[in-house]
Amino acid sequence: VALLLAGCATEDTELETPKAPGDTIRFTAGRCFGACPAYTLRVTPDGSGILEPEKFTAVPGPTRFTVTPAQYKRLRASLLPYRPPTGTEKRIGHGENCTRFATDMPGYTIEWSGGTGKVTRLDFQSGCMDARYGRLRTTIAAIPGLMDVEKMLKAPSASTR
């Protein structure tokens, strides 16, 4: 019985292994000092998506959505300039490769995983205000609209948080 219950508990947050070529892209918006939505979304090249809320979102639990092939391709293309080499990790943050830094801003993690079994990861502390990361900040800000999940991120009122 416990095994059956464990399977049910994880079923809502698992996406099927994609059959189409391409990476599953995982985007995590971390917490800030304030009411920033904190969540993770994953999309596959087959068009499956799931948003897992953490704080300050309009959905109470994991919520599935669909992305079109065009949406997936635009997401992949928009992130391509910032993708580290396959199987590696890059961090952009204060004291490492960022000189102008504002505190209390959310961190973002983008992961690409596919057939190689190696995860590629970019961690970006959005408080990094260096001009060279301006396009990355703009790209990250556009992801909710590109994936059409903005309504899921806007908390309806303070009483539901």
Side-chain angles (χ1 to χ4, degrees), residues 65-114:
F65 61 96
T66 302
V67 296
T68 65
Q71 284 175 298
Y72 176 82
K73 287 176 185 174
R74 282 195 303 269
L75 176 65
R76 187 183 67 205
S78 70
L79 295 173
L80 186 60
Y82 313 105
R83 181 186 169 136
T86 299
T88 66
E89 185 174 326
K90 180 178 182 180
R91 180 173 154 75
I92 300 169
H94 183 60
E96 296 174 42
N97 45 17
C98 176
T99 54
R100 294 182 52 223
F101 194 79
T103 60
D104 303 333
M105 302 290 285
Y108 296 95
T109 301
I110 304 163
E111 294 177 330
W112 297 261
S113 58

Side-chain angles (χ1 to χ4, degrees), residues 1-147:
V1 174
L3 183 58
L4 290 175
L5 291 175
C8 292
T10 61
E11 184 177 72
D12 288 339
T13 61
E14 294 303 316
L15 294 174
E16 290 183 21
T17 303
K19 293 174 181 57
D23 289 323
T24 294
I25 300 172
R26 179 184 180 114
F27 173 78
T28 301
R31 294 183 179 201
C32 70
F33 187 73
C36 302
Y39 62 95
T40 296
L41 67 81
R42 288 179 285 150
V43 296
T44 69
D46 286 341
S48 296
I50 190 164
L51 184 135
E52 298 173 78
E54 184 182 329
K55 195 155 179 91
F56 299 114
T57 65
V59 293
T63 304
R64 293 183 179 279
F65 61 96
T66 302
V67 296
T68 65
Q71 284 175 298
Y72 176 82
K73 287 176 185 174
R74 282 195 303 269
L75 176 65
R76 187 183 67 205
S78 70
L79 295 173
L80 186 60
Y82 313 105
R83 181 186 169 136
T86 299
T88 66
E89 185 174 326
K90 180 178 182 180
R91 180 173 154 75
I92 300 169
H94 183 60
E96 296 174 42
N97 45 17
C98 176
T99 54
R100 294 182 52 223
F101 194 79
T103 60
D104 303 333
M105 302 290 285
Y108 296 95
T109 301
I110 304 163
E111 294 177 330
W112 297 261
S113 58
T116 67
K118 297 179 182 179
V119 174
T120 303
R121 181 179 172 131
L122 173 67
D123 287 313
F124 177 63
Q125 297 299 310
S126 69
C128 181
M129 297 296 165
D130 292 4
R132 63 185 163 160
Y133 301 120
R135 287 189 182 186
L136 175 57
R137 282 192 303 276
T138 301
T139 297
I140 286 172
I143 289 174
L146 184 62
M147 295 293 98

